[in-house]
Amino acid sequence: MSSLKIAIAQINFLVGNIAANVQHIINTAHAAREMGADIVLFPELTVTGYPAEDLLLRKDFIAAANNAIYTLAEQVKDIAIVVGFPEYDGEHLYNSAVVLHQGVTLATYRKQALPNYGVFDEQRYFAEGIQPCVFEFNGTFIGLTICEDVWQGGIIAATKQAGAELLLTLNASPFNAGKVDQREAVICAQIKAAQIPLVYVNQIGGQDELIFDGASFVADTDGEIVFRAAEFEEQLSVIEFQDGLPVPSHCAPQYEETAGIYQALVLGIKDYVRKNGFSGAILGLSGGIDSALVLALAVDALGAEKIEVVLMPSRYTQDMSNEDAVLQADAMGVKHHIIPIEPAVTAFTGMLADIFAGTKKDTTEENIQARCRGVILMAMSNKQGRLLLTTGNKSEMSVGYATLYGDMAGGFAPIKDVPKLLVYALANYRNSLSAVIPERVITRPPSAELAPDQVDADSLPPYEILDPILERYVEQDQSAEDIIAAGFKREDVARAISLVDRNEYKRRQSPPCIRITSRAFGRDRRYPITSGYRGI
Amino acid sequence: MSSLKIAIAQINFLVGNIAANVQHIINTAHAAREMGADIVLFPELTVTGYPAEDLLLRKDFIAAANNAIYTLAEQVKDIAIVVGFPEYDGEHLYNSAVVLHQGVTLATYRKQALPNYGVFDEQRYFAEGIQPCVFEFNGTFIGLTICEDVWQGGIIAATKQAGAELLLTLNASPFNAGKVDQREAVICAQIKAAQIPLVYVNQIGGQDELIFDGASFVADTDGEIVFRAAEFEEQLSVIEFQDGLPVPSHCAPQYEETAGIYQALVLGIKDYVRKNGFSGAILGLSGGIDSALVLALAVDALGAEKIEVVLMPSRYTQDMSNEDAVLQADAMGVKHHIIPIEPAVTAFTGMLADIFAGTKKDTTEENIQARCRGVILMAMSNKQGRLLLTTGNKSEMSVGYATLYGDMAGGFAPIKDVPKLLVYALANYRNSLSAVIPERVITRPPSAELAPDQVDADSLPPYEILDPILERYVEQDQSAEDIIAAGFKREDVARAISLVDRNEYKRRQSPPCIRITSRAFGRDRRYPITSGYRGI
């Protein structure tokens, strides 16, 4: 009876740091060998991390990435490794995978399906491979594929046709809500049709806007999942193939949707802070739901001792806002500061009095308050080397209900892709683990507190109506007429859409977020600022 | 003797406004008919404008663009028109051109070469056409091509092979310094090799980061330019072909390089303000060279009455800065305000005193000053509906020598792609037309004036050294070793490069600029923020 032990290296890389990634590969390969594996499979573009973006246009970077393969061939000999790298053949660059064993290259595969939609720009960098790759290892014929390849039936079938008995696939498949199910459904259907078992390894970790969720898996010839790695964690696992078939192993439980999003956000904050070398994070805590959720996420990601919060009340801030903010900070063991913004607001009001004489109060005065808070928070961030977390949600960011350089100030916007209703769901989920967000923060009507008795509902449709309209318009590209036909009032649709159309300029200057929907603002939705398009 | 009169419609579109663009096409076609033309050629993707970016993913937008062709066929009958549009065939989207005459479609061509590098993302939206297109019109066989097609010899040759005697090409070819010469050299070489005359029409106008410069031209079979339209202006011209050969006509003079860049910047400001519906512009005038140049550009673009400037001196501002700023504002007939920032700085200093107790002064205190100015300027922009112009240059933006939400605040950054030495050259050029920038602004050492006796040279290599290093690293992707080998000191290269590497997060939140180099920050250079890559 033949046996082949394949290690699945679901690991977290730092994009651009080839030397560190090579060391991580070497250490992981040795650990896999100790676990008895014959071969260890790494994620897509292992040596550079994914996505390396325009670093891939640098000759020095590509040379270093190609040299890394020689280093690996030299330093890892007692186990076969399958690693991804940007392969340069003197003319074109390929998104490739190489199999190294005992200092010899057993096979090189060039990715055939290059995604160039959504968050992907692979045709900007890579030329397409044109043929399948099968290599023999200990008597088994193994096919190689990379990520997008296995979303398309043709490549799996062609690889089997070329003699593969077993498929290995290297991936960098980013998370969004529902992605694990979608991924397994699509790929396993291809696998079942082709009747070939598959080992799928995904990277994990946060990289700017993207979260890679792991959830690596093994499917048998019928497309049944016989092993699944944990989500959002590094994991090294060994799967045994007997006579070409995978021996069923442990399937890590999957997070239900809200919990999974929460984990994604925690990982996103953790990796952004860690990989960018910040000593911790700060945020403005208003007593509202958005900053309350961001604080909970930040503490869960970094620990209370690495966080400070600032309360910055104005004359419009209700007492309960301050009370609830302090309550949560204390409950989570986080240091808080209180800096009333009145002195700065008064100063600016005086400085602008002559110029603004005779004009009416409008959002200008509200924005000044928000910007005074931005100045305070950025000063603390600068002085302490802590990352300023921006607390705005996706609903606000869609309709521009936020102040540029005010509450939009910050280096990272964890919930910028989280619609308001989901903010509430996440807060309730977090409180179900342990009550950290005061109940009143969740139940009171949302308000920016920039004018007397202001509530969001004064200027926006209720979030129960706004959020589904925004999802249809922003994420699904539905037209106004489609949305109205689905049962929404024309006036609500018109109000929401016209705000989305008008506020691209704000979004363009907003900090990066953590992408958790199928369409986040940023590289995922590339709209012109200067635009005569009106959705309604 | 056969004669064919072809109108070249070098026009300025508003991206996304299909109805307005269709009306512009109709009016232009009628004007061309009045000028005696038989056929009128428009730029690439005429009906949507270029680039429409992710609007092209909207079904309603694509439906409207395809319907626009029926409208044009119906409303323009007495002249043949060649217009570009995103053609949807029920499965794929193509970057197409259609020839309409007397209500009939004479031909449809699908662009074959889809650029997906630099600022271009066409493979994100379009499928490739697979064949040349030749149609007969009044006895002449005319081939159609679109933009990138004519940068590649194969497509021109194949179109001639298919029977074309004359080539029409629709373009949206963005400007950068030297682009006109490069464009004509590359394309005319292909034309000469294929021995087929060409009519090349380019759009003009500003669209977010991009400037389209026009400079449409006609080349004879030997690749000699026999007609050239003006740069940076709309122009409708008629060229006669006798027996298949173009009759030489007026060649508009070309701007020399610095003058051309100046014109591009003026057009960029003008179109951004006009197309986005601002009532005018404001900027902070510091007495330094950058804001002095931006003021000159803004006045040349919009007229003095649409501009206001604000002087915001601090305790570190030298008298000559204020004097020179007022001098220039007066010379250009622009209203100025003076708002000392001391009250706001004092307020913030007091508010942060407890938290900052025991810490040393650092850039935090400098940033507070810059951010107080940002708050003032944004308040004026909000109140007046005027666009805030950001005055930072490319050298600063490269090394992060700018304050996020401070001097980086604003909706549009006209000189963000202009290196400091070129800022001086442009200022001198402008003064050569009429002296508007005080001489002392040009000759004094540059300073941010955020600390006592501060000058840029304290923290940065001299611009004569810094600028060429940045050009090599940022625009040409040279490695540190390449740059050192070219004769630069290792310490200067190391200083410059490490600052570039570290400051991607700032650039990501900066306003859009006007692209005038071959590689601007923005969609042209897509770097990860989270990155372990170190150029040195």
Side-chain angles (χ1 to χ4, degrees):
Chain A
M1 198 171 78
S2 85
S3 167
L4 180 66
K5 289 184 174 165
I6 301 177
I8 294 173
Q10 174 174 301
I11 55 181
N12 191 345
F13 291 110
L14 177 54
V15 162
N17 195 332
I18 293 170
N21 293 341
V22 165
Q23 196 52 55
H24 199 3
I25 293 167
I26 292 171
N27 296 345
T28 307
H30 289 158
R33 179 68 265 184
E34 304 245 311
M35 291 165 76
D38 303 300
I39 182 166
V40 54
L41 177 63
F42 288 89
E44 184 174 10
L45 288 173
T46 330
V47 303
T48 57
Y50 189 97
E53 303 188 67
D54 279 7
L55 288 171
L56 293 169
L57 303 179
R58 300 196 71 87
K59 277 192 199 139
D60 58 336
F61 186 70
I62 295 302
N66 281 263
N67 284 335
I69 301 305
Y70 297 114
T71 306
L72 290 170
E74 178 102 359
Q75 302 216 1
V76 186
K77 291 195 170 158
D78 55 354
I79 182 170
I81 62 173
V82 186
V83 296
F85 76 114
E87 180 198 2
Y88 184 63
D89 71 351
E91 190 176 4
H92 296 296
L93 195 66
Y94 299 92
N95 182 339
S96 293
V98 63
V99 186
L100 304 172
H101 190 220
Q102 294 175 337
V104 174
T105 300
L106 297 188
T108 305
Y109 170 68
R110 295 170 174 174
K111 187 177 184 179
Q112 298 174 74
L114 299 174
N116 206 67
Y117 55 82
V119 299
F120 302 109
D121 285 297
E122 291 197 21
Q123 291 170 29
R124 182 175 172 89
Y125 309 108
F126 300 114
E128 288 173 3
I130 51 169
Q131 56 191 20
C133 169
V134 179
F135 66 98
E136 198 231 313
F137 185 79
N138 290 358
T140 303
F141 289 90
I142 301 176
L144 287 182
T145 48
I146 301 176
C147 211
E148 190 80 4
D149 287 337
V150 296
W151 291 71
Q152 303 185 4
I155 293 171
I156 291 177
T159 309
K160 184 175 180 186
Q161 188 72 26
E165 300 166 298
L166 158 64
L167 217 52
L168 303 184
T169 180
L170 302 82
N171 304 274
S173 179
F175 170 81
N176 56 253
K179 183 69 173 283
V180 174
D181 289 344
Q182 183 203 10
R183 192 188 288 146
E184 292 183 358
V186 170
I187 296 169
C188 289
Q190 316 280 9
I191 287 302
K192 188 176 179 185
Q195 288 284 308
I196 182 169
L198 169 89
V199 180
Y200 181 104
V201 61
N202 193 16
Q203 65 166 330
I204 79 121
Q207 170 59 30
D208 288 350
E209 297 174 343
L210 301 181
I211 295 294
F212 296 92
D213 55 333
S216 301
F217 64 91
V218 176
D220 67 15
T221 45
D222 290 326
E224 296 295 323
I225 304 284
V226 295
F227 164 81
R228 185 189 299 115
E231 297 171 66
F232 310 112
E233 287 173 28
E234 286 201 318
Q235 185 175 324
L236 179 63
S237 316
V238 176
I239 300 299
E240 184 174 6
F241 277 72
Q242 286 180 352
D243 294 327
L245 294 176
V247 177
S249 180
H250 178 69
C251 284
Q254 290 179 266
Y255 286 102
E256 68 69 44
E257 186 165 297
T258 308
I261 293 169
Y262 195 90
Q263 290 305 318
L265 296 171
V266 166
L267 176 58
I269 295 171
K270 190 171 170 173
D271 270 8
Y272 195 88
V273 167
R274 180 176 66 85
K275 293 181 177 180
N276 286 294
F278 288 99
S279 62
I282 63 164
L283 60 121
L285 197 65
S286 70
I289 184 76
D290 296 319
S291 59
L293 174 63
V294 173
L295 174 57
L297 289 164
V299 171
D300 290 345
L302 307 172
E305 71 289 353
K306 290 208 171 169
I307 316 284
E308 285 187 16
V309 296
V310 193
L311 284 67
M312 293 168 291
S314 77
R315 70 189 82 170
Y316 305 120
T317 306
Q318 297 190 44
D319 288 342
M320 70 169 158
S321 300
N322 294 328
E323 291 160 17
D324 290 345
V326 172
L327 213 60
Q328 184 184 358
D330 288 348
M332 302 201 82
V334 167
K335 184 170 177 183
H336 75 267
H337 305 275
I338 302 180
I339 305 181
I341 59 168
E342 208 62 42
V345 173
T346 305
F348 283 119
T349 308
M351 291 156 74
L352 288 161
D354 285 351
I355 292 179
F356 286 180
T359 65
K360 282 191 194 151
K361 278 204 177 183
D362 55 22
T363 49
T364 306
E365 283 74 15
E366 301 186 14
N367 288 335
I368 287 174
Q369 297 168 55
R371 292 195 181 111
C372 286
R373 295 190 175 110
V375 173
I376 293 286
L377 290 168
M378 285 302 294
M380 291 183 60
S381 167
N382 289 165
K383 190 64 98 184
Q384 302 176 341
R386 289 176 194 252
L387 174 66
L388 171 56
L389 295 173
T390 311
T391 61
N393 62 61
K394 189 174 196 174
S395 309
E396 288 175 3
M397 210 59 263
S398 300
V399 297
Y401 198 68
T403 299
L404 202 52
Y405 322 134
D407 51 314
M408 285 176 62
F412 198 56
I415 63 168
K416 195 179 82 174
D417 196 37
V418 180
K420 188 79 174 188
L421 296 181
L422 184 53
V423 170
Y424 285 104
L426 288 164
N428 284 320
Y429 163 76
R430 180 58 186 83
N431 273 1
S432 76
L433 305 181
S434 66
V436 290
I437 300 173
E439 198 53 31
R440 193 164 58 175
V441 172
I442 298 177
T443 53
R444 65 183 288 203
S447 165
E449 297 198 324
L450 292 169
D453 304 322
Q454 185 180 43
V455 290
D456 293 9
D458 297 340
S459 15
L460 298 174
Y463 289 110
E464 289 73 14
I465 290 169
L466 181 64
D467 276 4
I469 293 175
L470 293 174
E471 183 179 345
R472 286 165 185 270
Y473 189 67
V474 172
E475 290 172 41
Q476 298 169 17
D477 280 336
Q478 289 188 15
S479 69
E481 295 309 323
D482 288 345
I483 302 171
I484 292 163
F488 293 89
K489 275 192 228 158
R490 182 170 292 271
E491 66 193 76
D492 288 339
V493 174
R495 173 99 186 114
I497 286 184
S498 66
L499 288 170
V500 173
D501 288 345
R502 263 191 268 148
N503 282 289
E504 181 58 29
Y505 76 100
K506 279 192 194 177
R507 290 188 288 268
R508 195 68 69 88
Q509 290 190 43
S510 63
C513 67
I514 300 171
R515 178 177 178 273
I516 59 111
T517 71
S518 59
R519 199 134 188 237
F521 294 120
R523 70 183 57 255
D524 210 0
R525 186 178 189 270
R526 306 177 190 177
Y527 266 56
I529 296 177
T530 303
S531 170
Y533 175 79
R534 292 294 172 262
I536 196 156
Chain B
M1 199 172 79
S2 85
S3 167
L4 181 67
K5 289 185 173 164
I6 301 177
I8 294 173
Q10 174 175 301
I11 56 182
N12 191 345
F13 291 110
L14 178 54
V15 161
N17 194 330
I18 292 170
N21 292 341
V22 164
Q23 197 53 55
H24 200 6
I25 293 168
I26 293 170
N27 297 345
T28 306
H30 289 158
R33 179 68 266 185
E34 305 245 313
M35 290 164 76
D38 302 300
I39 183 166
V40 53
L41 176 64
F42 287 90
E44 183 173 10
L45 288 172
T46 330
V47 304
T48 58
Y50 188 98
E53 303 186 65
D54 279 8
L55 288 172
L56 293 169
L57 303 178
R58 301 195 71 88
K59 277 192 198 138
D60 59 336
F61 186 71
I62 295 302
N66 282 262
N67 284 335
I69 301 304
Y70 299 114
T71 307
L72 289 171
E74 179 103 359
Q75 303 216 0
V76 185
K77 291 195 169 158
D78 55 354
I79 182 170
I81 62 171
V82 186
V83 296
F85 76 114
E87 180 198 3
Y88 184 62
D89 72 351
E91 189 176 4
H92 296 295
L93 194 66
Y94 299 92
N95 182 340
S96 292
V98 62
V99 186
L100 304 172
H101 190 220
Q102 294 176 336
V104 174
T105 299
L106 296 188
T108 305
Y109 170 68
R110 295 169 173 174
K111 186 177 183 179
Q112 298 174 74
L114 299 174
N116 206 66
Y117 56 81
V119 299
F120 302 109
D121 285 298
E122 292 198 20
Q123 293 170 26
R124 181 174 172 89
Y125 309 108
F126 300 113
E128 288 172 3
I130 52 170
Q131 56 192 18
C133 169
V134 179
F135 66 99
E136 198 231 314
F137 185 79
N138 290 358
T140 302
F141 289 89
I142 300 176
L144 288 182
T145 48
I146 301 177
C147 211
E148 190 79 4
D149 287 337
V150 296
W151 291 72
Q152 301 185 5
I155 294 171
I156 291 177
T159 309
K160 184 175 180 186
Q161 187 72 23
E165 301 166 296
L166 159 63
L167 217 54
L168 303 184
T169 180
L170 301 84
N171 304 274
S173 178
F175 171 80
N176 57 253
K179 184 68 173 283
V180 174
D181 288 344
Q182 183 204 8
R183 192 188 286 147
E184 293 183 357
V186 171
I187 296 169
C188 289
Q190 315 280 8
I191 287 302
K192 188 176 178 186
Q195 288 284 307
I196 182 168
L198 168 90
V199 180
Y200 181 105
V201 60
N202 192 16
Q203 66 166 327
I204 79 120
Q207 170 59 30
D208 288 350
E209 297 174 345
L210 300 181
I211 295 295
F212 297 92
D213 54 334
S216 301
F217 64 91
V218 175
D220 66 15
T221 44
D222 289 327
E224 295 295 322
I225 304 284
V226 296
F227 165 81
R228 183 189 299 116
E231 297 171 66
F232 310 113
E233 287 174 28
E234 286 201 318
Q235 185 175 324
L236 179 64
S237 317
V238 176
I239 300 299
E240 185 173 5
F241 278 73
Q242 286 180 352
D243 294 327
L245 293 177
V247 177
S249 180
H250 178 68
C251 283
Q254 289 178 265
Y255 286 101
E256 67 72 42
E257 187 166 297
T258 308
I261 294 169
Y262 195 91
Q263 290 304 317
L265 296 172
V266 166
L267 177 58
I269 294 172
K270 190 171 171 174
D271 270 8
Y272 196 88
V273 167
R274 179 175 67 84
K275 293 180 177 179
N276 286 296
F278 289 98
S279 62
I282 62 163
L283 61 120
L285 197 65
S286 70
I289 185 76
D290 296 319
S291 58
L293 175 62
V294 174
L295 174 57
L297 289 164
V299 171
D300 289 344
L302 306 172
E305 72 288 352
K306 291 208 169 167
I307 316 285
E308 284 185 17
V309 296
V310 195
L311 283 67
M312 293 169 290
S314 76
R315 71 188 81 169
Y316 305 120
T317 305
Q318 297 190 44
D319 290 341
M320 70 168 160
S321 300
N322 294 327
E323 290 160 16
D324 290 344
V326 172
L327 212 60
Q328 184 185 358
D330 289 348
M332 302 202 82
V334 167
K335 185 171 175 182
H336 75 266
H337 305 275
I338 302 180
I339 305 181
I341 59 169
E342 208 62 41
V345 173
T346 304
F348 283 119
T349 308
M351 292 155 75
L352 288 160
D354 284 351
I355 291 179
F356 286 180
T359 65
K360 281 191 195 152
K361 279 204 177 182
D362 55 22
T363 51
T364 305
E365 284 73 17
E366 300 185 16
N367 287 336
I368 288 174
Q369 298 169 54
R371 292 194 181 111
C372 286
R373 295 190 175 111
V375 173
I376 292 286
L377 290 168
M378 285 303 294
M380 292 183 61
S381 167
N382 289 164
K383 191 64 98 184
Q384 303 177 340
R386 289 176 194 252
L387 173 67
L388 172 56
L389 295 173
T390 311
T391 61
N393 62 61
K394 188 174 197 175
S395 310
E396 287 174 4
M397 210 57 264
S398 301
V399 297
Y401 197 69
T403 300
L404 201 53
Y405 321 135
D407 50 313
M408 284 177 62
F412 197 55
I415 62 169
K416 195 179 81 172
D417 196 38
V418 180
K420 189 78 173 189
L421 295 182
L422 183 54
V423 170
Y424 284 104
L426 289 163
N428 284 319
Y429 163 75
R430 179 60 186 81
N431 272 2
S432 75
L433 305 180
S434 65
V436 291
I437 300 173
E439 198 53 31
R440 193 164 57 176
V441 172
I442 300 178
T443 53
R444 65 183 285 203
S447 165
E449 295 197 327
L450 293 168
D453 304 321
Q454 185 180 41
V455 290
D456 293 10
D458 297 341
S459 17
L460 298 174
Y463 289 110
E464 288 73 15
I465 290 169
L466 181 63
D467 277 5
I469 294 174
L470 293 174
E471 183 179 344
R472 286 165 184 269
Y473 190 68
V474 172
E475 291 172 39
Q476 298 170 15
D477 281 336
Q478 289 187 16
S479 70
E481 295 309 323
D482 288 344
I483 301 172
I484 292 163
F488 293 89
K489 274 192 229 159
R490 182 170 291 272
E491 65 192 78
D492 289 338
V493 174
R495 174 98 186 116
I497 286 183
S498 65
L499 288 170
V500 173
D501 289 345
R502 263 191 267 150
N503 282 289
E504 182 57 29
Y505 76 99
K506 280 192 192 176
R507 291 188 289 266
R508 195 67 71 89
Q509 291 190 44
S510 64
C513 68
I514 301 171
R515 178 177 177 273
I516 59 111
T517 70
S518 59
R519 198 135 188 236
F521 295 119
R523 70 183 56 259
D524 211 359
R525 187 179 189 271
R526 307 177 189 177
Y527 267 57
I529 297 177
T530 304
S531 170
Y533 175 78
R534 293 292 173 264
I536 196 154

